[in-house]
Amino acid sequence: MNLTDRPRRLRRDGVRGLVSENRVSASDLIAPVFVDATTDERIPIESMPGHERVSVDDAVDRVEEILETGVEAVMLFGIPESKDELGTRAWAEDGVVQRATRDIAAETDAYVITDVCLCEYTDHGHCGVIEDHADENPTLTVKNDETLDLLGKIAVSHAEAGAQMVAPSSMTDGMVGAIREALDAERFDDVPIMSYAVKYQSAFYGPFRDAADGAPAFGDRRHYQMDPANAREALREARLDVEQGADVLMIKPALPYLDIVNAIRREFDHPVAAYNVSGEYAMLQAAAEKGWLDLEEVAMESLVSMKRAGADLILTYFAEQVADQL
Ligand code: PBG
């Protein structure tokens, strides 16, 4: 046997690193942070071991902990003191995210990204203005165009508080254009939009809905989030967001949708973000707790697979752990 091509030659220690095609670095990672206006202590999130909701007063300390690991960016989610039908606390000047953002921007060097959505702020838990009688009729959910104004207001209120990037996650048609227009009208034309461009209606968000208390009170999100069966539609969603001025295109979830991450990477030249969501985190944590998987190894392998698929940025609950490992 005459084997001339032996890939194993390049797998030895010393050369492996030289020929390595992808690597995860702390500067690629964004750590989600949950700020809770209803508490003054840290509340552990049971389905997401290692994560807690923190009070507004504690937000700066929480972000400092993240920065110490080498991660430089955070994504803020808020749990408001009260909810109502329209989600008015989402754009309040003294809202939970606005207050936390103001403190974090003033006191830390973190790059602050805010999630722009209504589901944590509405009493029905949907991501926008609800249709009349939606609770009795599962084909009705969110009024698209009425929601756009509210999203613009939320984004502006975040930018006023000092958010450096906004990330709309409601899958409202036209949301990127509406937010861009609202920001520009208030002279926030330098605040980029990271669009949750391709957000699937996924059961992998389960633990997040405990963490942020944003589960829909009735029905589900299939009338606005994408069908997991669809790939061509993902390109269409991304194209619409690019046309409306999105700066970064996010795909969510990540691991079950790496084909989509790769397709978006190939089709567009915008930076691509992958959201390694709560359920992806929880399943590895649960298996590791049982001793079935090595947590450090599977976390790193997951993130490198996202880089390999084409992600530039990764939102992940493993951010601190992986940055520490690096
Ligand atoms: C909506 C939002 C959700 C997540 C991020 N933003 C929940 C949803 O769409 O149901 C999920 C994140 C995760 O699961 O980690 N504001």
Side-chain angles (χ1 to χ4, degrees), residues 34 48 77 115-120 127 169-170 196 199 204-209 214 221 225 252 275-279 317:
F34 298 99
M48 297 169 67
F77 294 97
D115 183 80
V116 174
C117 198
L118 282 153
C119 53
E120 292 117 66
C127 304
S169 64
S170 61
Y196 286 70
K199 180 171 176 179
F204 284 98
Y205 308 149
F208 175 93
R209 292 178 184 174
R221 305 208 205 284
Q225 297 182 347
K252 174 183 172 196
Y275 198 144
N276 179 217
V277 300
S278 57
Y317 303 97

Side-chain angles (χ1 to χ4, degrees), residues 122-126 135 214-219 221:
T122 51
D123 51 15
H124 45 76
H126 280 287
D135 50 341
F218 49 84
R221 305 208 205 284

Side-chain angles (χ1 to χ4, degrees), residues 73-84:
V74 294
M75 168 82 111
L76 299 187
F77 294 97
I79 297 97
E81 48 287 279
S82 61
K83 304 184 188 227
D84 56 32

